[in-house]
Amino acid sequence: MRVLAALSGGVDSAVAAARAIDAGHDVVAVHMALSRTRDQLRNGSRGCCSIEDAGDARRAADVLGVPYYVWDLSEQFEQTVVADFLSEYEAGRTPNPCVRCNEHIKFATLLDKALALGFDAVCTGHYARVVERGDGTRELHRARDAAKDQSYVLAVMGPERLARALFPLGDVTSKDVTRQEAAARGLAVSAKPDSYDICFVADGDTPGFLRSRLGSRPGEVVDASGAVVGTHDGAYAFTVGQRRGLGLGRPAADGRPRYVLDVQPVHNRVVVGPAEALAVGTVHADRTVWYDEPAGAGQAAEPTGSGAGRPVGVQVRAHGAPVPGFVERRGDAVRVRLAEPLHGVAAGQSLVLYDGTRVLAQATVTGTERLVDERAEHDDPARRTVPTAAGRRA
């Protein structure tokens, strides 16, 4: 096939491109310039898309002996990924910019441009596996290396784009293997540190980045009773489940730590409370991307009873452990009942459903139903689950 290999300037994408060449594909390399400040140098493992990364990508392409181009996608990145990041936080939700980058940039803008130029597929250095069934249908699976698995952030791409994607590192057993292979191939990026955190927040200060774009908006931090226990400089800088950086002026009566339970953008208010108040028993999500719909899903637009639903593994964080649950489809939305509670689930997070290692669906969390402690449940059975305010659209 004619394959467009996305070279980030890191070790993973370089080895992935090398493996695509070894597989006999006609490979051309492209570096996506996503940052508007590419002249800013990297700070160790922080940041990406710098002039250093472009240079490392070029040198890798030279070693591999493939043509190399730079595509400036910074405007598209700003208008989709960064704009979504800001608007979601401003609305009291918690976005995942890596998911949106895969959705809008790597497997939309990049892939569409590649197909328009006559390429058959795009190759990236993501850690995930593609398994092809006998009928030609492609399934997205977790990588062999569970510690590096990126199927969670890739699930948003959907089956049609998966059909045009290559992930040559899916069967690698550890990142050390990738680095050793890079060194053996003479790739200078073999020892380059991995990037982490949010790529366009190079200093790692997300609240500071939000404040620079959204401005100062002082407000109150309250407990569940409504008592003011602190102040903040912008409710948008908080997320459900957050413990640190709350700036509380009054300790809890019992001396226990408090966490963000809700972000209320309309009132510019942050609600805090004890850890047990974060326990979630049901998750609601919409904008569902299906890889394999539940049997009879088309007839499951309405609730079908407390025992209904297909058993699934449920993951709500990129590096979180999946928990068992049951999914019901409701139009393009889903309701997922958890067999084990999750804590600190926020609206805006990506929800990915698995059958073993296979991705079944991806959706965006709109709200949750929280469990209450046994005493409250005994006192008032109607309080067994409490809808959170996190899913409210501002």
Side-chain angles (χ1 to χ4, degrees):
M1 295 190 296
R2 291 196 70 218
V3 172
L4 187 69
L7 290 187
S8 67
V11 62
D12 295 326
S13 61
V15 173
R19 288 188 167 202
I21 295 169
D22 290 349
H25 300 305
D26 178 12
V27 175
V28 173
V30 63
H31 176 75
M32 292 179 289
L34 304 180
S35 172
R36 288 179 168 179
T37 56
R38 292 187 290 277
D39 57 341
Q40 179 179 347
L41 299 181
R42 285 169 61 97
N43 182 11
S45 296
R46 296 188 185 275
C48 73
C49 308
S50 69
I51 192 169
E52 294 170 272
D53 294 311
D56 288 340
R58 174 177 289 280
R59 283 185 285 275
D62 289 343
V63 171
L64 297 175
V66 297
Y68 171 82
Y69 298 90
V70 175
W71 287 357
D72 186 351
L73 302 181
S74 59
E75 287 301 317
Q76 294 94 322
F77 186 80
E78 179 72 26
Q79 293 168 9
T80 54
V81 179
V82 178
D84 175 83
F85 182 81
L86 293 170
S87 64
E88 286 292 281
Y89 267 111
E90 192 171 25
R93 298 186 286 270
T94 303
N96 186 314
C98 293
V99 170
R100 296 303 158 219
C101 184
N102 285 328
E103 178 184 13
H104 296 298
I105 302 299
K106 294 175 183 172
F107 299 103
T109 302
L110 180 69
L111 179 56
D112 289 347
K113 286 172 69 70
L115 296 178
L117 291 171
F119 289 93
D120 301 303
V122 165
C123 167
T124 72
H126 288 100
Y127 286 79
R129 290 184 298 128
V130 177
V131 175
E132 190 166 316
R133 301 177 187 169
D135 62 0
T137 302
R138 305 182 94 208
E139 299 176 346
L140 179 62
H141 284 251
R142 292 189 186 278
R144 296 286 184 199
D145 181 3
K148 294 297 295 181
D149 173 55
Q150 293 174 294
S151 60
Y152 173 86
V153 295
L154 289 170
V156 71
M157 68 191 299
E160 292 184 2
R161 297 191 182 280
L162 179 64
R164 301 284 193 168
L166 299 178
F167 306 123
L169 302 186
D171 286 318
V172 173
T173 55
S174 77
K175 182 61 176 276
D176 288 341
V177 172
T178 304
R179 293 193 181 281
Q180 290 166 9
E181 182 173 334
R185 292 178 180 273
L187 295 166
V189 291
S190 61
K192 187 174 180 177
D194 290 341
S195 60
Y196 61 90
D197 290 339
I198 299 167
C199 68
F200 52 88
V201 185
D203 62 0
D205 182 10
T206 299
F209 176 82
L210 292 169
R211 194 176 303 112
S212 70
R213 295 294 192 96
L214 301 176
S216 176
R217 303 178 190 177
E220 298 175 339
V221 179
V222 302
D223 63 20
S225 71
V228 177
V229 295
T231 60
H232 62 73
D233 201 31
Y236 54 71
F238 295 82
T239 185
V240 171
Q242 179 178 336
R243 176 184 174 184
R244 300 185 184 279
L246 303 185
L248 304 181
R250 290 171 47 188
D254 58 7
R256 298 166 64 193
R258 285 177 289 193
Y259 300 78
V260 174
L261 303 183
D262 192 19
V263 178
Q264 301 175 348
V266 173
H267 305 291
N268 194 27
R269 183 185 299 135
V270 176
V271 182
V272 298
E276 58 266 24
L278 291 170
V280 166
T282 300
V283 180
H284 298 271
D286 64 7
R287 296 162 55 188
T288 309
V289 177
W290 288 104
Y291 289 81
D292 187 3
E293 301 187 39
Q299 290 76 44
E302 298 298 328
T304 53
S306 60
R310 173 180 180 171
V312 292
V314 184
Q315 187 169 333
V316 296
R317 296 179 181 86
H319 302 293
V323 302
F326 301 88
V327 61
E328 299 174 56
R329 177 177 173 177
R330 301 179 174 188
D332 83 330
V334 292
R335 175 179 183 264
V336 181
R337 295 180 301 105
L338 303 174
E340 300 173 8
L342 286 168
H343 291 76
V345 182
Q349 287 179 263
S350 182
L351 169 79
V352 179
L353 306 178
Y354 290 87
D355 177 9
T357 64
R358 178 167 59 112
V359 171
L360 298 177
Q362 183 275 344
T364 301
V365 175
T366 56
T368 62
E369 296 175 29
R370 289 188 182 144
L371 303 176
V372 296
D373 61 37
E374 293 180 0
R375 182 172 56 188
E377 184 175 315
H378 179 268
D379 293 342
D380 182 1
R383 293 183 60 198
R384 286 175 184 164
T385 58
V386 182
T388 68
R392 286 198 304 257
R393 298 285 177 179

